[in-house]
Amino acid sequence: MLQSTMMDQPLTLDLLLQRAATVFRDVDVTTRLPDKSLHHTNYGEVARRAGRLARALVAAGIQPGDRVATLMWNHYAHLECYFGIPAAGAVLHTLNLRLQPADIAYIAHHAEDRFLIVDDVLLPLLAQFRDEVNFERVIVFRFGGAAHEDEDYEAFLDSAGDAVALPAIGEDWACGMCYTSGTTGRPKGVLYGQKSSVLHAMGACLPDAVNLSSRDIIVPVVPMFHAMAWGMPYAAAMVGARQVMPGPHLDAVSLLDLYEQTGTTVTAGVPTIWMGILQELEKRERAWRLTPGMRMIVGGSATPVSMVKAYERFDLQVIAAWGMTETSPLGSLAQLRPEVAARGEDARHWYRAQAGVSVPLVDVRIVNDQGEVAWDGESTGELQCRGPWVTGSYYLRPDAADAFTPDGWFRTGDVASITPEGTIHIADRTKDLIKSGGEWISSVELENEIMAHPAVAEAAVIAVAHPKWMERPLACVVKKPGVELGADELREHLLGSFEKWCLPNDFVFIDEIPRTSTGKFMKLKLREQFADWQWSELSA
Ligand code: ADP
């Protein structure tokens, strides 16, 4: 074996930041504030302030590997945290503000987050779980501008001088952390690394992935608390794309206004967002001047073919993507390939709604009871993957080892087939979860709570397609003999333990839940039975 003559340069996020601070110093980073006015800064300034944040964290006693949580919308200060926390050698733990307060508390507690950086506008949410977590310091970013009694983010940035030394960062150090919803049991933590984040950013920028460059203006609608905003903040900084952070206004009209105002060329989010925007465009009440061919990266749930077709009429490109928190998250994308385009319109539309082809460096395979299955476009099985930005374990969860195969692949829990040329088609999911507008709802938790009602014999909650939210929960309930029970009563019962948006839209009363030979609920059968369920008005 002959050693290469190449240098052993650690791949760390600092490389991206230093480059952005010089080469892209004046490139704009825009944030839409809660009052909808636009705040402008640039990469030079973001890098400078990220450095101050890093030094302030070190001066405050943050050690390499310590977790620093954020509870924030998408904006420039969150971008500073994305770089500043890892630059201190610490781990940026993004908390999902859409979860139930008790779940956020569990996650922050499990991760042993030492500090929290939170938006002022989210202080009411924090108040709901603050007593349950021992944050040593709570630092408040004035996003909405309201007065508060906690330590101020700006004052914190000022709290350390330039003399504070930052640690020399190793490429295998953890730099980011995100918890993923579990089918059973509590959410599980994934730790992103310095190297994995750099490689993921590079993969994202490839022409057949997001195709990001300095000519782009990107609006990541995907929240920065969801799988690192799909890596977009790092990828954009790597190539000097202008970033436009949408803040908390994510309704269709607000986003269309922002696209028009900023000349957006790329945007990324879940199908529900694009369904809403499409409806707005189709009303034709206003003619938004959008950048022709604007790329809309759609991930998190399946992309409907009808959506691909409809957007083509507006000269907007839907690019479907597949990924998971565990895969950093970009696993595959459906950028149109010339050979597919040559097959005509139907083939093109079908392809563009698929999960696409795996990103270079990510390996995929399909495995069923018989073992690995052929890439014939028909045989289905579990999609498994591996690669430098795919997690190999969960943080402090040896009990979750069955998510990984003995030969080192990650089991995604998605059921898929792959065509001979590598197009991944997601067919189903083995995970017993409902994905509504990009957020998970646990069917198991819902049915347990429904079954806790004294008039319920048994209940199963299934995911059923929904035109706006992609999926919504439908509760199939068996009453105890001779009792009176209605949907309203069950809804009332669930409100004690669940946020309103997690509640089943409809309750259907049936005689029995179909079971497998081993006595488990056969949800597949229920899903088939109620596949064409017409949601009642309450579901709107
Ligand atoms: P993210 O935050 O990127 O949505 P999650 O870890 O919350 O990641 O969700 C990942 C899951 O979402 C996948 O395992 C799959 O079930 C679903 N998913 C993601 N992309 C697609 C897609 N293109 N088609 C179908 N399902 C998808």
Side-chain angles (χ1 to χ4, degrees):
M1 196 267 288
L2 184 61
Q3 285 286 348
S4 88
T5 58
M6 296 299 122
M7 293 183 184
D8 194 14
Q9 162 83 55
L11 296 179
T12 59
L13 290 171
D14 199 46
L15 296 173
L16 273 56
L17 189 64
Q18 293 321 320
R19 185 157 189 271
T22 47
V23 182
F24 307 122
R25 192 188 60 189
D26 298 326
V27 173
D28 203 82
V29 173
T30 310
T31 299
R32 188 165 53 185
L33 301 173
D35 68 2
K36 289 206 170 177
S37 62
L38 295 185
H39 169 281
H40 294 277
T41 180
N42 55 41
Y43 280 120
E45 194 55 17
V46 167
R48 203 177 60 79
R49 286 167 55 91
R52 287 169 61 205
L53 171 60
R55 283 188 290 277
L57 289 168
V58 170
I62 288 292
Q63 300 284 326
D66 283 350
R67 272 75 64 204
V68 176
T70 57
L71 187 63
M72 295 172 126
W73 289 104
N74 291 17
H75 51 61
Y76 65 94
H78 211 170
L79 187 62
E80 291 161 11
C81 292
Y82 260 56
F83 282 105
I85 295 170
V91 180
L92 159 77
H93 180 199
T94 52
L95 295 172
N96 182 347
L97 56 91
R98 300 220 175 98
L99 297 180
Q100 325 251 11
D103 283 338
I104 308 179
Y106 166 81
I107 287 169
H109 189 75
H110 186 264
E112 294 179 80
D113 295 331
R114 286 189 61 193
F115 291 8
L116 171 73
I117 307 179
V118 55
D119 285 346
D120 54 0
V121 293
L122 294 171
L123 284 171
L125 170 62
L126 175 63
Q128 293 180 55
F129 66 89
R130 191 167 179 164
D131 291 346
E132 293 165 54
V133 188
N134 298 322
F135 294 120
E136 287 168 46
R137 276 166 94 156
V138 171
I139 300 155
V140 179
F141 171 62
R142 285 223 213 175
F143 187 33
H148 61 84
E149 287 168 2
D150 286 286
E151 184 169 7
D152 196 76
Y153 179 75
E154 298 301 329
F156 186 68
L157 293 194
D158 286 338
S159 66
D162 291 343
V164 176
L166 295 177
I169 311 274
E171 65 176 11
D172 291 325
W173 290 20
C175 64
M177 182 176 215
C178 205
Y179 275 70
T180 175
S181 311
T183 304
T184 50
R186 294 293 208 157
K188 300 186 285 287
V190 169
L191 283 170
Y192 305 113
Q194 294 271 351
K195 178 174 72 180
S196 77
S197 301
V198 170
L199 290 174
H200 178 266
M202 203 143 196
C205 292
L206 289 174
D208 283 326
V210 180
N211 189 14
L212 214 55
S213 77
S214 60
R215 289 165 290 288
D216 280 313
I217 300 169
I218 180 165
V219 176
V221 181
V222 47
M224 291 170 89
F225 52 79
H226 255 189
M228 308 297 280
W230 300 351
M232 295 300 112
Y234 292 143
M238 176 180 259
V239 295
R242 192 176 142 191
Q243 303 200 39
V244 180
M245 310 296 207
H249 301 289
L250 303 178
D251 61 284
V253 170
S254 297
L255 286 173
L256 283 163
D257 283 344
L258 192 64
Y259 295 150
E260 181 175 68
Q261 256 177 317
T262 60
T264 305
T265 61
V266 191
T267 174
V270 294
T272 297
I273 298 275
W274 312 126
M275 300 298 269
I277 288 185
L278 187 59
Q279 270 178 18
E280 209 49 56
L281 290 174
E282 284 177 337
K283 281 192 211 159
R284 295 191 186 271
E285 283 170 3
R286 257 183 73 183
W288 274 278
R289 284 184 310 277
L290 304 180
T291 307
M294 179 173 83
R295 281 123 58 208
M296 312 170 80
I297 311 293
V298 186
S301 291
T303 303
V305 176
S306 58
M307 192 167 98
V308 173
K309 287 189 197 169
Y311 270 115
E312 271 190 9
R313 291 198 283 276
F314 293 96
D315 195 11
L316 300 171
Q317 283 186 67
V318 166
I319 299 166
W322 171 89
M324 303 176 67
T325 301
E326 289 89 334
T327 64
S328 289
L330 286 186
S332 65
L333 279 100
Q335 280 276 11
L336 191 58
R337 298 164 63 176
E339 56 272 39
V340 175
R343 281 176 213 143
E345 205 173 59
D346 286 351
R348 187 180 76 227
H349 289 148
W350 178 83
Y351 178 81
R352 300 190 67 166
Q354 303 310 307
V357 176
S358 68
V359 182
L361 308 189
V362 175
D363 274 346
V364 289
R365 71 178 184 186
I366 304 283
V367 176
N368 67 17
D369 295 346
Q370 274 85 52
E372 199 172 330
V373 306
W375 289 17
D376 58 11
E378 282 171 19
S379 312
T380 57
E382 183 180 42
L383 177 63
Q384 301 185 349
C385 62
R386 65 177 179 192
W389 57 79
V390 177
T391 198
S393 63
Y394 290 106
Y395 175 66
L396 296 183
R397 286 294 295 270
D399 60 308
D402 60 356
F404 308 91
T405 68
D407 60 342
W409 292 70
F410 169 62
R411 304 179 53 191
T412 67
D414 287 326
V415 178
S417 61
I418 305 183
T419 68
E421 59 192 9
T423 303
I424 304 165
H425 166 72
I426 306 286
D428 200 359
R429 173 191 308 145
T430 57
K431 296 172 270 199
D432 205 356
L433 293 163
I434 296 137
K435 201 162 203 192
S436 166
E439 298 288 345
W440 291 112
I441 299 172
S442 164
S443 36
V444 178
E445 280 173 23
L446 277 175
E447 57 207 28
N448 284 344
E449 195 56 32
I450 296 172
M451 287 193 277
H453 190 283
V456 173
E458 53 187 25
V461 175
I462 54 168
V464 175
H466 188 279
K468 177 169 179 196
W469 301 106
M470 310 318 293
E471 288 177 8
R472 287 295 301 161
L474 173 71
C476 307
V477 181
V478 181
K479 287 187 246 187
K480 285 192 181 149
V483 294
E484 286 291 317
L485 180 64
D488 287 345
E489 195 178 332
L490 282 175
R491 212 168 270 125
E492 203 55 40
H493 169 72
L494 290 174
L495 270 177
S497 340
F498 293 90
E499 300 283 321
K500 212 164 151 212
W501 68 269
C502 297
L503 262 48
N505 292 37
D506 284 334
F507 294 79
V508 37
F509 294 95
I510 56 178
D511 292 339
E512 60 176 351
I513 310 263
R515 289 180 187 273
T516 64
S517 54
T518 54
K520 284 200 224 160
F521 287 171
M522 217 157 120
K523 291 209 181 168
L524 188 64
K525 188 110 185 252
L526 283 176
R527 289 218 304 271
E528 281 166 13
Q529 189 179 341
F530 294 106
D532 298 321
W533 180 255
Q534 298 297 309
W535 295 107
S536 67
E537 279 182 52
L538 270 170
S539 332

